[in-house]
Amino acid sequence: MSAFDLLMGVLLIASALAAVTLKNAVHAGLALVANFLSLAVVYFALEAQFLGWIQIIVYAGAVMVLFLFVIMLLFDAKADVGLDRLPWMRPLAAALAAAFFLALAYAFSGVGPVNPLADVKLGGGLPKALGGLLYGNWLYTVLLVAALLFAATVAAVSLVQPQIRKARVKPQVLERDRELEEVGK
Amino acid sequence: MSYYLLLSALLFAIGLYGVLARRTAILIFMSIELMLNSANLALVSFARSSGNLEGQVMALLVIALAAAEVAVGLGIIVAVFRSRESTSVDDLAEFRG
């Protein structure tokens, strides 16, 4: 294990912890951006260069900007609202997460080593090597994902469509109604 | 045991803690993104350890799925906020309305 591995591990865990514990929602979002960027660096080290760039463009760029827009649109950036329904929720959540980590670590214990410095032929994870697979064996999966993205776009637009407003009543009509009401009295 | 796989398990557990402990829908959603990313790290590590590029192809597809999920999820959060004036998951515990 090299110094690079240790540094990236510390960065990833620290930014992830900040993203799930910070009280200010904008700060949490920015910590998540830091997490995604360090993950992209790890991808570069693990010979997944194309994936690393996609991670930066799609996640750190598009997805997180969307998140920050919605946070700033909806809140005054408070992460904690209301009261805890269960006062011991946080320790319970931490205990469950720790148990899940132990289970995952046990499940991974049989897998061989992943060494970023070893000589493995992955073509650097460049589009030249990935494209043959994406448009070969995985073609139908790619088409399905494209259909799903299209459906999700349509769903998102129709979800946030503004409500249909009632026809605007002219002020003259309101005035006449009020006068008629006064006459009626 | 592999270092990066252990790291991905730890990131997944941190994301799980976020999903359980956060009270606002949008922050729960951000923790889910963290969990998706840890799964991607595991896939890339598997590709690296077995010398097989298909793990990276799968990670690419997961990123595309996450983009679709973010579009729909944030749309739902904005729509819920319009009708309830809140995105706290405790306020959304009733079916009515």
Side-chain angles (χ1 to χ4, degrees):
Chain A
M1 196 164 66
S2 63
F4 169 83
D5 291 344
L6 271 182
L7 176 70
M8 291 328 290
V10 169
L11 270 179
L12 276 172
I13 290 165
S15 56
L17 280 176
V20 297
T21 51
L22 282 180
K23 297 281 180 203
N24 186 313
V26 175
H27 294 173
L30 291 176
L32 204 56
V33 172
N35 187 275
F36 290 166
L37 287 177
S38 19
L39 206 55
V41 174
V42 171
Y43 288 168
F44 290 136
L46 291 177
E47 262 194 74
Q49 292 190 37
F50 183 61
L51 206 59
W53 287 115
I54 292 293
Q55 171 88 4
I56 292 176
I57 294 170
V58 175
Y59 260 117
V63 167
M64 282 321 293
V65 167
L66 210 60
F67 262 105
L68 289 176
F69 264 131
V70 172
I71 290 173
M72 290 172 187
L73 192 71
L74 299 188
F75 307 112
D76 34 3
K78 279 177 296 189
D80 280 316
V81 285
L83 290 170
D84 266 330
R85 294 226 164 156
L86 306 171
W88 31 267
M89 191 65 217
R90 270 158 209 276
L92 184 68
L96 277 174
F100 199 84
F101 167 69
L102 288 180
L104 268 182
Y106 176 73
F108 281 151
S109 60
V111 183
V114 181
N115 182 2
L117 300 175
D119 189 31
V120 183
K121 292 279 173 281
L122 288 180
L126 286 170
K128 190 180 177 185
L130 278 175
L133 280 171
L134 270 177
Y135 294 109
N137 286 341
W138 291 80
L139 180 62
Y140 288 106
T141 322
V142 171
L143 290 178
L144 282 175
V145 169
L148 184 94
L149 258 179
F150 177 66
T153 314
V154 173
V157 170
S158 69
L159 270 174
V160 295
Q161 205 174 30
Q163 316 292 322
I164 298 160
R165 282 184 223 147
K166 284 182 205 158
R168 204 169 70 89
V169 186
K170 284 182 183 166
Q172 296 94 314
V173 176
L174 283 175
E175 184 80 7
R176 202 193 55 200
D177 284 353
R178 210 178 311 133
E179 281 171 4
L180 280 174
E181 218 172 274
E182 279 177 15
V183 170
K185 280 176 190 169
Chain B
M1 192 191 308
S2 158
Y3 173 68
Y4 281 108
L5 285 178
L6 204 63
L7 207 57
S8 100
L10 197 54
L11 283 178
F12 195 93
I14 292 173
L16 184 65
Y17 170 78
V19 169
L20 291 173
R22 288 291 204 185
R23 286 199 297 268
T24 327
I26 193 159
L27 289 166
I28 291 177
F29 206 42
M30 273 166 47
S31 307
I32 293 176
E33 292 302 315
L34 205 60
M35 290 160 84
L36 277 171
N37 266 292
S38 78
N40 269 352
L41 179 58
L43 284 173
V44 172
S45 306
F46 285 139
R48 173 77 200 186
S49 68
S50 66
N52 186 345
L53 260 181
E54 303 214 336
Q56 292 188 17
V57 173
M58 277 189 240
L60 213 58
L61 296 176
V62 169
I63 288 181
L65 287 179
E69 178 225 350
V70 164
V72 175
L74 287 180
I76 290 174
I77 288 176
V78 170
V80 163
F81 184 80
R82 274 194 187 148
S83 70
R84 298 273 185 120
E85 293 291 314
S86 164
T87 59
S88 166
V89 286
D90 291 336
D91 292 343
L92 306 180
E94 298 153 7
F95 277 128
R96 188 174 57 81

